[in-house]
Amino acid sequence: MLAPENELKRGLKARHLSMISIAGTIGTGLFLASGSSIAQAGPLGALIAYIMIGSMVFFMMTSLGEMATLIPTAGSFNTYAARFVDPALGFALGVNYFLNWAVTVAVEIAAAAMILQFWVSPSVLPSWVWSVLFLLFMVFVNFLSVRAYGEAEYWFSVIKVLTVIIFIIVGILVDAGVVGGDRIGFRNWTIPGAPVVDGFGGILGVFLVAGFSFQGTELIGIAAGESENPRKNVPKAIKQVFWRILLFYILSIFIIGLVIPYTDPNLLGSGNVDKSAIAVSPFTLVLQKAFKPASHIMNAVILITVLSAGNSGMYASTRTLFMLARDGKAPAIFGRVNSRGIPMESLAFTTLIAALSFGASLLGSGEVYNWLLNISSISGFIAWLGIAASHYRFRRAYVAQGGDVSRLPYKAAMFPFGPIYALILCTVVVCGQGYSEFTKPHPKAVNLIACYIGLPFFLAMFLGYKLYYKTKMVPLLECDFSVSNLEDGDIDEFHELYAPSKNQADEKDQ
């Protein structure tokens, strides 16, 4: 085992992990794109789509929680896929996830600069200058320590949680007629075409938007590798995911559908991050009924949201590259850490990729940047597929090696239904990427290719690694349950939880 000074530091406290799990992924997907979801599928159609995707995310997170609690590692599902399915799958998931978040950093710093145009004209200070400043801020936070990252995310999340809570309260008061004097009730569910627009096709079209809204939830698995007492804190954080999905996503979509008719033209323009979208964000439209400066408030919240997403992207991609290097799937230099437990070489390389991606968005027509976006956009869904597949094999290997499921420190909900349900629904979402293009009168081949380009990229990574190293699916009896980045006390606890059962199984075979 490596010396402690060569390891990541367990600097994330229980409150950091809890708040990241509660509000870490609340972002533009909820604050902006939720309006276009209701316009596309109607109030009930959007609600059904978010409930289905939300339930899938819940099962997926309990699967991740079972693995992360027993084997906490910053490599998270990439490491689990390599151990329990195939090393080639772990490599492909890791490369895709690293690229996904590195490009996301570039997207968020560009979006943050655009949001600031709401207050500051580009003639005063060019947008690219703001983007560089935001990038430096993200690098600085991740450079300090993992605790600095956790602290920043904690306060970002507090602001997002308060915003959603205020929105829900105001939305209920508006719908009841207490604010505004017009009792709306379920009136917007009975207008022509409502409550479900375009039947199952409308719901399927919203699956993708809903899926993007929940992406990043799996960051808990990566953060588990640097959290204090992961056996206690990870299950607690995973359990809070259910309430976050129910209260913040499902309830918000329900209230938007009650207060704003799906035919409102403003909802159609609320899917993008720009000045006009912030003005017509469904959150802004509802809050304006109680607060006149709501657009300024929401602009500030959305700015915090994109900074939070970029900060998390920098953290996730850095740790993913670090663990790929530790697992021998990336150059060893990226597996180094400094005295504060920060993988500086991985952080520097992630910053370089993010800067190059942002630079690509400024050059020419931005086609290179768009292709990078398309390659990375599907990575979140592929990661969820990898988590579900890994957990299915994890549980089978655990039992095959003599493990007693009742002794697991955290058990996933409704196994094997949970991972199978997640696998099926994730596959539907991945295959349905081009649904909106297919349903057009004259679909364009270039747009269809753009929708699915991330899939062949992932397959190329998987097959390339598999053919070069001649890897095979790991036999259940050879799956690795060892822990190498925990303190000695945690390792002793691990053996107490797992090894005795295995030893008993060995004795029976003799």
mmCIF file of all heavy atoms in Angstrom, residues 151-194:
data_model
loop_
_atom_site.group_PDB
_atom_site.id
_atom_site.type_symbol
_atom_site.label_atom_id
_atom_site.label_comp_id
_atom_site.label_asym_id
_atom_site.label_seq_id
_atom_site.Cartn_x
_atom_site.Cartn_y
_atom_site.Cartn_z
ATOM 1 N N GLU A 151 -16.298 22.982 0.867
ATOM 2 C CA GLU A 151 -16.865 24.191 1.487
ATOM 3 C C GLU A 151 -17.551 25.067 0.447
ATOM 4 O O GLU A 151 -18.653 25.595 0.685
ATOM 5 C CB GLU A 151 -15.758 24.970 2.196
ATOM 6 C CG GLU A 151 -16.247 25.889 3.298
ATOM 7 C CD GLU A 151 -16.866 25.144 4.474
ATOM 8 O OE1 GLU A 151 -16.382 24.054 4.833
ATOM 9 O OE2 GLU A 151 -17.866 25.657 5.021
ATOM 10 N N ALA A 152 -16.911 25.229 -0.712
ATOM 11 C CA ALA A 152 -17.504 26.028 -1.783
ATOM 12 C C ALA A 152 -18.828 25.411 -2.237
ATOM 13 O O ALA A 152 -19.845 26.103 -2.386
ATOM 14 C CB ALA A 152 -16.541 26.143 -2.965
ATOM 15 N N GLU A 153 -18.825 24.093 -2.446
ATOM 16 C CA GLU A 153 -20.045 23.407 -2.878
ATOM 17 C C GLU A 153 -21.127 23.462 -1.809
ATOM 18 O O GLU A 153 -22.321 23.519 -2.121
ATOM 19 C CB GLU A 153 -19.738 21.952 -3.242
ATOM 20 C CG GLU A 153 -19.097 21.793 -4.604
ATOM 21 C CD GLU A 153 -19.921 22.457 -5.698
ATOM 22 O OE1 GLU A 153 -21.073 22.071 -5.920
ATOM 23 O OE2 GLU A 153 -19.390 23.401 -6.320
ATOM 24 N N TYR A 154 -20.724 23.447 -0.553
ATOM 25 C CA TYR A 154 -21.692 23.512 0.544
ATOM 26 C C TYR A 154 -22.488 24.821 0.474
ATOM 27 O O TYR A 154 -23.727 24.814 0.509
ATOM 28 C CB TYR A 154 -20.967 23.403 1.885
ATOM 29 C CG TYR A 154 -21.883 23.543 3.082
ATOM 30 C CD1 TYR A 154 -22.594 22.454 3.559
ATOM 31 C CD2 TYR A 154 -22.023 24.775 3.724
ATOM 32 C CE1 TYR A 154 -23.439 22.576 4.653
ATOM 33 C CE2 TYR A 154 -22.862 24.906 4.818
ATOM 34 C CZ TYR A 154 -23.565 23.810 5.284
ATOM 35 O OH TYR A 154 -24.399 23.953 6.367
ATOM 36 N N TRP A 155 -21.769 25.934 0.328
ATOM 37 C CA TRP A 155 -22.460 27.232 0.338
ATOM 38 C C TRP A 155 -23.190 27.488 -0.983
ATOM 39 O O TRP A 155 -24.265 28.101 -0.997
ATOM 40 C CB TRP A 155 -21.478 28.353 0.669
ATOM 41 C CG TRP A 155 -21.030 28.279 2.093
ATOM 42 C CD1 TRP A 155 -19.804 27.906 2.558
ATOM 43 C CD2 TRP A 155 -21.836 28.528 3.240
ATOM 44 N NE1 TRP A 155 -19.782 27.914 3.934
ATOM 45 C CE2 TRP A 155 -21.008 28.300 4.383
ATOM 46 C CE3 TRP A 155 -23.157 28.938 3.444
ATOM 47 C CZ2 TRP A 155 -21.492 28.460 5.688
ATOM 48 C CZ3 TRP A 155 -23.625 29.086 4.740
ATOM 49 C CH2 TRP A 155 -22.803 28.861 5.843
ATOM 50 N N PHE A 156 -22.619 27.022 -2.090
ATOM 51 C CA PHE A 156 -23.352 27.091 -3.367
ATOM 52 C C PHE A 156 -24.683 26.346 -3.236
ATOM 53 O O PHE A 156 -25.739 26.828 -3.663
ATOM 54 C CB PHE A 156 -22.535 26.455 -4.498
ATOM 55 C CG PHE A 156 -21.384 27.290 -4.987
ATOM 56 C CD1 PHE A 156 -20.280 26.694 -5.598
ATOM 57 C CD2 PHE A 156 -21.400 28.670 -4.860
ATOM 58 C CE1 PHE A 156 -19.219 27.462 -6.057
ATOM 59 C CE2 PHE A 156 -20.336 29.446 -5.321
ATOM 60 C CZ PHE A 156 -19.240 28.832 -5.918
ATOM 61 N N SER A 157 -24.631 25.172 -2.636
ATOM 62 C CA SER A 157 -25.821 24.330 -2.514
ATOM 63 C C SER A 157 -26.842 24.929 -1.560
ATOM 64 O O SER A 157 -28.058 24.816 -1.785
ATOM 65 C CB SER A 157 -25.423 22.921 -2.037
ATOM 66 O OG SER A 157 -24.617 22.274 -2.999
ATOM 67 N N VAL A 158 -26.376 25.557 -0.490
ATOM 68 C CA VAL A 158 -27.299 26.220 0.440
ATOM 69 C C VAL A 158 -28.132 27.265 -0.294
ATOM 70 O O VAL A 158 -29.359 27.353 -0.119
ATOM 71 C CB VAL A 158 -26.524 26.870 1.606
ATOM 72 C CG1 VAL A 158 -27.416 27.852 2.369
ATOM 73 C CG2 VAL A 158 -25.987 25.808 2.547
ATOM 74 N N ILE A 159 -27.482 28.059 -1.136
ATOM 75 C CA ILE A 159 -28.189 29.106 -1.899
ATOM 76 C C ILE A 159 -29.205 28.476 -2.850
ATOM 77 O O ILE A 159 -30.341 28.950 -2.975
ATOM 78 C CB ILE A 159 -27.175 29.976 -2.671
ATOM 79 C CG1 ILE A 159 -26.310 30.774 -1.685
ATOM 80 C CG2 ILE A 159 -27.889 30.913 -3.637
ATOM 81 C CD1 ILE A 159 -25.143 31.488 -2.325
ATOM 82 N N LYS A 160 -28.818 27.385 -3.522
ATOM 83 C CA LYS A 160 -29.728 26.730 -4.462
ATOM 84 C C LYS A 160 -30.929 26.130 -3.737
ATOM 85 O O LYS A 160 -32.069 26.215 -4.213
ATOM 86 C CB LYS A 160 -28.983 25.667 -5.265
ATOM 87 C CG LYS A 160 -27.991 26.243 -6.264
ATOM 88 C CD LYS A 160 -27.397 25.179 -7.168
ATOM 89 C CE LYS A 160 -26.359 24.345 -6.497
ATOM 90 N NZ LYS A 160 -25.681 23.403 -7.422
ATOM 91 N N VAL A 161 -30.680 25.519 -2.585
ATOM 92 C CA VAL A 161 -31.770 24.924 -1.805
ATOM 93 C C VAL A 161 -32.759 26.004 -1.353
ATOM 94 O O VAL A 161 -33.979 25.831 -1.466
ATOM 95 C CB VAL A 161 -31.212 24.160 -0.589
ATOM 96 C CG1 VAL A 161 -32.325 23.826 0.397
ATOM 97 C CG2 VAL A 161 -30.525 22.882 -1.041
ATOM 98 N N LEU A 162 -32.234 27.113 -0.836
ATOM 99 C CA LEU A 162 -33.107 28.205 -0.387
ATOM 100 C C LEU A 162 -33.937 28.757 -1.543
ATOM 101 O O LEU A 162 -35.127 29.067 -1.377
ATOM 102 C CB LEU A 162 -32.268 29.324 0.240
ATOM 103 C CG LEU A 162 -31.624 28.998 1.595
ATOM 104 C CD1 LEU A 162 -30.732 30.158 2.044
ATOM 105 C CD2 LEU A 162 -32.703 28.724 2.645
ATOM 106 N N THR A 163 -33.325 28.857 -2.726
ATOM 107 C CA THR A 163 -34.052 29.358 -3.900
ATOM 108 C C THR A 163 -35.221 28.448 -4.245
ATOM 109 O O THR A 163 -36.341 28.924 -4.493
ATOM 110 C CB THR A 163 -33.107 29.460 -5.111
ATOM 111 O OG1 THR A 163 -32.029 30.347 -4.800
ATOM 112 C CG2 THR A 163 -33.852 29.967 -6.344
ATOM 113 N N VAL A 164 -34.977 27.136 -4.262
ATOM 114 C CA VAL A 164 -36.040 26.185 -4.611
ATOM 115 C C VAL A 164 -37.138 26.191 -3.550
ATOM 116 O O VAL A 164 -38.333 26.155 -3.875
ATOM 117 C CB VAL A 164 -35.465 24.760 -4.788
ATOM 118 C CG1 VAL A 164 -36.585 23.759 -5.035
ATOM 119 C CG2 VAL A 164 -34.481 24.727 -5.941
ATOM 120 N N ILE A 165 -36.758 26.263 -2.272
ATOM 121 C CA ILE A 165 -37.757 26.285 -1.195
ATOM 122 C C ILE A 165 -38.637 27.520 -1.308
ATOM 123 O O ILE A 165 -39.878 27.441 -1.200
ATOM 124 C CB ILE A 165 -37.071 26.230 0.184
ATOM 125 C CG1 ILE A 165 -36.441 24.851 0.400
ATOM 126 C CG2 ILE A 165 -38.073 26.534 1.301
ATOM 127 C CD1 ILE A 165 -35.616 24.739 1.668
ATOM 128 N N ILE A 166 -38.019 28.686 -1.552
ATOM 129 C CA ILE A 166 -38.789 29.928 -1.712
ATOM 130 C C ILE A 166 -39.701 29.819 -2.922
ATOM 131 O O ILE A 166 -40.876 30.226 -2.884
ATOM 132 C CB ILE A 166 -37.838 31.139 -1.844
ATOM 133 C CG1 ILE A 166 -37.107 31.382 -0.522
ATOM 134 C CG2 ILE A 166 -38.607 32.394 -2.273
ATOM 135 C CD1 ILE A 166 -36.000 32.407 -0.611
ATOM 136 N N PHE A 167 -39.184 29.241 -4.005
ATOM 137 C CA PHE A 167 -39.989 29.074 -5.223
ATOM 138 C C PHE A 167 -41.218 28.200 -4.942
ATOM 139 O O PHE A 167 -42.334 28.518 -5.372
ATOM 140 C CB PHE A 167 -39.148 28.439 -6.326
ATOM 141 C CG PHE A 167 -39.959 27.914 -7.473
ATOM 142 C CD1 PHE A 167 -40.445 28.774 -8.442
ATOM 143 C CD2 PHE A 167 -40.247 26.562 -7.575
ATOM 144 C CE1 PHE A 167 -41.215 28.294 -9.499
ATOM 145 C CE2 PHE A 167 -41.006 26.073 -8.621
ATOM 146 C CZ PHE A 167 -41.495 26.941 -9.587
ATOM 147 N N ILE A 168 -41.027 27.104 -4.231
ATOM 148 C CA ILE A 168 -42.136 26.189 -3.938
ATOM 149 C C ILE A 168 -43.198 26.883 -3.093
ATOM 150 O O ILE A 168 -44.403 26.783 -3.366
ATOM 151 C CB ILE A 168 -41.610 24.922 -3.234
ATOM 152 C CG1 ILE A 168 -40.806 24.072 -4.226
ATOM 153 C CG2 ILE A 168 -42.766 24.098 -2.652
ATOM 154 C CD1 ILE A 168 -40.087 22.893 -3.592
ATOM 155 N N ILE A 169 -42.761 27.633 -2.069
ATOM 156 C CA ILE A 169 -43.713 28.345 -1.202
ATOM 157 C C ILE A 169 -44.489 29.390 -1.999
ATOM 158 O O ILE A 169 -45.724 29.467 -1.927
ATOM 159 C CB ILE A 169 -42.973 28.999 -0.020
ATOM 160 C CG1 ILE A 169 -42.385 27.922 0.897
ATOM 161 C CG2 ILE A 169 -43.914 29.918 0.758
ATOM 162 C CD1 ILE A 169 -41.473 28.458 1.988
ATOM 163 N N VAL A 170 -43.756 30.195 -2.785
ATOM 164 C CA VAL A 170 -44.414 31.234 -3.598
ATOM 165 C C VAL A 170 -45.347 30.591 -4.615
ATOM 166 O O VAL A 170 -46.475 31.066 -4.843
ATOM 167 C CB VAL A 170 -43.364 32.123 -4.308
ATOM 168 C CG1 VAL A 170 -44.033 33.053 -5.321
ATOM 169 C CG2 VAL A 170 -42.574 32.930 -3.291
ATOM 170 N N GLY A 171 -44.910 29.487 -5.248
ATOM 171 C CA GLY A 171 -45.736 28.803 -6.238
ATOM 172 C C GLY A 171 -47.048 28.322 -5.651
ATOM 173 O O GLY A 171 -48.115 28.453 -6.274
ATOM 174 N N ILE A 172 -47.001 27.762 -4.433
ATOM 175 C CA ILE A 172 -48.223 27.298 -3.774
ATOM 176 C C ILE A 172 -49.148 28.470 -3.471
ATOM 177 O O ILE A 172 -50.369 28.394 -3.686
ATOM 178 C CB ILE A 172 -47.867 26.544 -2.470
ATOM 179 C CG1 ILE A 172 -47.148 25.219 -2.812
ATOM 180 C CG2 ILE A 172 -49.115 26.267 -1.642
ATOM 181 C CD1 ILE A 172 -46.589 24.498 -1.604
ATOM 182 N N LEU A 173 -48.575 29.584 -2.990
ATOM 183 C CA LEU A 173 -49.382 30.768 -2.674
ATOM 184 C C LEU A 173 -50.007 31.367 -3.930
ATOM 185 O O LEU A 173 -51.166 31.799 -3.914
ATOM 186 C CB LEU A 173 -48.510 31.815 -1.967
ATOM 187 C CG LEU A 173 -47.969 31.424 -0.574
ATOM 188 C CD1 LEU A 173 -47.061 32.510 -0.037
ATOM 189 C CD2 LEU A 173 -49.129 31.173 0.390
ATOM 190 N N VAL A 174 -49.259 31.375 -5.043
ATOM 191 C CA VAL A 174 -49.791 31.900 -6.304
ATOM 192 C C VAL A 174 -50.919 31.007 -6.814
ATOM 193 O O VAL A 174 -51.977 31.480 -7.239
ATOM 194 C CB VAL A 174 -48.671 32.008 -7.370
ATOM 195 C CG1 VAL A 174 -49.262 32.292 -8.750
ATOM 196 C CG2 VAL A 174 -47.673 33.091 -6.991
ATOM 197 N N ASP A 175 -50.713 29.691 -6.770
ATOM 198 C CA ASP A 175 -51.723 28.764 -7.266
ATOM 199 C C ASP A 175 -52.995 28.829 -6.433
ATOM 200 O O ASP A 175 -54.102 28.687 -6.958
ATOM 201 C CB ASP A 175 -51.171 27.336 -7.250
ATOM 202 C CG ASP A 175 -52.099 26.350 -7.928
ATOM 203 O OD1 ASP A 175 -52.284 26.464 -9.160
ATOM 204 O OD2 ASP A 175 -52.646 25.475 -7.230
ATOM 205 N N ALA A 176 -52.843 29.068 -5.114
ATOM 206 C CA ALA A 176 -54.005 29.147 -4.227
ATOM 207 C C ALA A 176 -54.695 30.504 -4.287
ATOM 208 O O ALA A 176 -55.771 30.678 -3.708
ATOM 209 C CB ALA A 176 -53.577 28.839 -2.797
ATOM 210 N N GLY A 177 -54.072 31.478 -4.966
ATOM 211 C CA GLY A 177 -54.671 32.807 -5.081
ATOM 212 C C GLY A 177 -54.318 33.744 -3.956
ATOM 213 O O GLY A 177 -54.774 34.891 -3.925
ATOM 214 N N VAL A 178 -53.489 33.295 -3.011
ATOM 215 C CA VAL A 178 -53.074 34.161 -1.898
ATOM 216 C C VAL A 178 -52.217 35.305 -2.424
ATOM 217 O O VAL A 178 -52.314 36.447 -1.988
ATOM 218 C CB VAL A 178 -52.306 33.347 -0.837
ATOM 219 C CG1 VAL A 178 -51.810 34.264 0.286
ATOM 220 C CG2 VAL A 178 -53.191 32.246 -0.268
ATOM 221 N N VAL A 179 -51.334 34.995 -3.392
ATOM 222 C CA VAL A 179 -50.520 36.010 -4.067
ATOM 223 C C VAL A 179 -51.073 36.196 -5.482
ATOM 224 O O VAL A 179 -51.226 35.217 -6.220
ATOM 225 C CB VAL A 179 -49.038 35.584 -4.142
ATOM 226 C CG1 VAL A 179 -48.238 36.578 -4.984
ATOM 227 C CG2 VAL A 179 -48.441 35.462 -2.749
ATOM 228 N N GLY A 180 -51.396 37.408 -5.841
ATOM 229 C CA GLY A 180 -51.911 37.688 -7.181
ATOM 230 C C GLY A 180 -53.427 37.720 -7.267
ATOM 231 O O GLY A 180 -53.994 38.264 -8.214
ATOM 232 N N GLY A 181 -54.105 37.103 -6.296
ATOM 233 C CA GLY A 181 -55.567 37.169 -6.260
ATOM 234 C C GLY A 181 -56.296 36.253 -7.228
ATOM 235 O O GLY A 181 -57.531 36.245 -7.267
ATOM 236 N N ASP A 182 -55.583 35.475 -8.029
ATOM 237 C CA ASP A 182 -56.212 34.574 -9.005
ATOM 238 C C ASP A 182 -55.981 33.133 -8.584
ATOM 239 O O ASP A 182 -54.859 32.626 -8.651
ATOM 240 C CB ASP A 182 -55.630 34.824 -10.399
ATOM 241 C CG ASP A 182 -56.246 33.915 -11.463
ATOM 242 O OD1 ASP A 182 -57.329 33.349 -11.198
ATOM 243 O OD2 ASP A 182 -55.641 33.775 -12.538
ATOM 244 N N ARG A 183 -57.042 32.457 -8.149
ATOM 245 C CA ARG A 183 -56.912 31.070 -7.725
ATOM 246 C C ARG A 183 -56.862 30.179 -8.974
ATOM 247 O O ARG A 183 -57.854 30.005 -9.673
ATOM 248 C CB ARG A 183 -58.083 30.678 -6.835
ATOM 249 C CG ARG A 183 -57.937 29.278 -6.255
ATOM 250 C CD ARG A 183 -59.049 28.959 -5.281
ATOM 251 N NE ARG A 183 -58.890 27.630 -4.720
ATOM 252 C CZ ARG A 183 -59.723 27.088 -3.831
ATOM 253 N NH1 ARG A 183 -60.781 27.789 -3.416
ATOM 254 N NH2 ARG A 183 -59.514 25.872 -3.375
ATOM 255 N N ILE A 184 -55.702 29.617 -9.242
ATOM 256 C CA ILE A 184 -55.475 28.862 -10.479
ATOM 257 C C ILE A 184 -55.876 27.398 -10.321
ATOM 258 O O ILE A 184 -56.525 26.822 -11.187
ATOM 259 C CB ILE A 184 -53.992 28.958 -10.909
ATOM 260 C CG1 ILE A 184 -53.598 30.427 -11.116
ATOM 261 C CG2 ILE A 184 -53.751 28.164 -12.198
ATOM 262 C CD1 ILE A 184 -52.107 30.636 -11.336
ATOM 263 N N GLY A 185 -55.483 26.787 -9.205
ATOM 264 C CA GLY A 185 -55.795 25.374 -8.989
ATOM 265 C C GLY A 185 -55.214 24.499 -10.093
ATOM 266 O O GLY A 185 -54.046 24.631 -10.459
ATOM 267 N N PHE A 186 -56.061 23.625 -10.670
ATOM 268 C CA PHE A 186 -55.639 22.740 -11.757
ATOM 269 C C PHE A 186 -56.164 23.232 -13.112
ATOM 270 O O PHE A 186 -56.283 22.446 -14.041
ATOM 271 C CB PHE A 186 -56.127 21.304 -11.496
ATOM 272 C CG PHE A 186 -55.289 20.554 -10.504
ATOM 273 C CD1 PHE A 186 -55.529 20.685 -9.133
ATOM 274 C CD2 PHE A 186 -54.246 19.739 -10.916
ATOM 275 C CE1 PHE A 186 -54.758 19.997 -8.206
ATOM 276 C CE2 PHE A 186 -53.470 19.045 -9.997
ATOM 277 C CZ PHE A 186 -53.725 19.182 -8.632
ATOM 278 N N ARG A 187 -56.445 24.514 -13.213
ATOM 279 C CA ARG A 187 -57.001 25.062 -14.445
ATOM 280 C C ARG A 187 -56.105 24.788 -15.659
ATOM 281 O O ARG A 187 -56.593 24.438 -16.737
ATOM 282 C CB ARG A 187 -57.192 26.573 -14.291
ATOM 283 C CG ARG A 187 -57.855 27.250 -15.493
ATOM 284 C CD ARG A 187 -57.624 28.766 -15.451
ATOM 285 N NE ARG A 187 -57.946 29.306 -14.133
ATOM 286 C CZ ARG A 187 -57.490 30.484 -13.701
ATOM 287 N NH1 ARG A 187 -56.666 31.200 -14.455
ATOM 288 N NH2 ARG A 187 -57.821 30.931 -12.495
ATOM 289 N N ASN A 188 -54.785 24.926 -15.466
ATOM 290 C CA ASN A 188 -53.862 24.737 -16.598
ATOM 291 C C ASN A 188 -53.711 23.272 -17.003
ATOM 292 O O ASN A 188 -53.072 22.980 -18.013
ATOM 293 C CB ASN A 188 -52.491 25.334 -16.245
ATOM 294 C CG ASN A 188 -52.534 26.846 -16.131
ATOM 295 O OD1 ASN A 188 -53.271 27.513 -16.871
ATOM 296 N ND2 ASN A 188 -51.774 27.403 -15.201
ATOM 297 N N TRP A 189 -54.286 22.357 -16.223
ATOM 298 C CA TRP A 189 -54.264 20.942 -16.584
ATOM 299 C C TRP A 189 -55.474 20.561 -17.442
ATOM 300 O O TRP A 189 -55.560 19.430 -17.928
ATOM 301 C CB TRP A 189 -54.249 20.072 -15.325
ATOM 302 C CG TRP A 189 -52.917 20.026 -14.632
ATOM 303 C CD1 TRP A 189 -52.101 21.085 -14.355
ATOM 304 C CD2 TRP A 189 -52.255 18.867 -14.126
ATOM 305 N NE1 TRP A 189 -50.976 20.667 -13.704
ATOM 306 C CE2 TRP A 189 -51.038 19.305 -13.540
ATOM 307 C CE3 TRP A 189 -52.570 17.515 -14.093
ATOM 308 C CZ2 TRP A 189 -50.138 18.432 -12.946
ATOM 309 C CZ3 TRP A 189 -51.670 16.637 -13.502
ATOM 310 C CH2 TRP A 189 -50.457 17.087 -12.929
ATOM 311 N N THR A 190 -56.412 21.492 -17.581
ATOM 312 C CA THR A 190 -57.653 21.177 -18.303
ATOM 313 C C THR A 190 -57.803 21.952 -19.607
ATOM 314 O O THR A 190 -58.813 21.802 -20.294
ATOM 315 C CB THR A 190 -58.865 21.488 -17.403
ATOM 316 O OG1 THR A 190 -58.858 22.876 -17.033
ATOM 317 C CG2 THR A 190 -58.833 20.636 -16.136
ATOM 318 N N ILE A 191 -56.796 22.768 -19.955
ATOM 319 C CA ILE A 191 -56.880 23.496 -21.222
ATOM 320 C C ILE A 191 -56.683 22.510 -22.375
ATOM 321 O O ILE A 191 -56.136 21.424 -22.183
ATOM 322 C CB ILE A 191 -55.819 24.629 -21.291
ATOM 323 C CG1 ILE A 191 -54.406 24.065 -21.186
ATOM 324 C CG2 ILE A 191 -56.062 25.651 -20.204
ATOM 325 C CD1 ILE A 191 -53.318 25.129 -21.306
ATOM 326 N N PRO A 192 -57.131 22.850 -23.593
ATOM 327 C CA PRO A 192 -57.020 21.920 -24.730
ATOM 328 C C PRO A 192 -55.590 21.400 -24.932
ATOM 329 O O PRO A 192 -54.636 22.173 -24.930
ATOM 330 C CB PRO A 192 -57.467 22.782 -25.920
ATOM 331 C CG PRO A 192 -58.403 23.776 -25.312
ATOM 332 C CD PRO A 192 -57.830 24.087 -23.961
ATOM 333 N N GLY A 193 -55.458 20.090 -25.063
ATOM 334 C CA GLY A 193 -54.147 19.461 -25.257
ATOM 335 C C GLY A 193 -53.522 18.964 -23.986
ATOM 336 O O GLY A 193 -52.690 18.047 -24.007
ATOM 337 N N ALA A 194 -53.894 19.575 -22.852
ATOM 338 C CA ALA A 194 -53.347 19.161 -21.556
ATOM 339 C C ALA A 194 -54.182 17.982 -21.016
ATOM 340 O O ALA A 194 -55.303 17.760 -21.484
ATOM 341 C CB ALA A 194 -53.375 20.340 -20.587
#
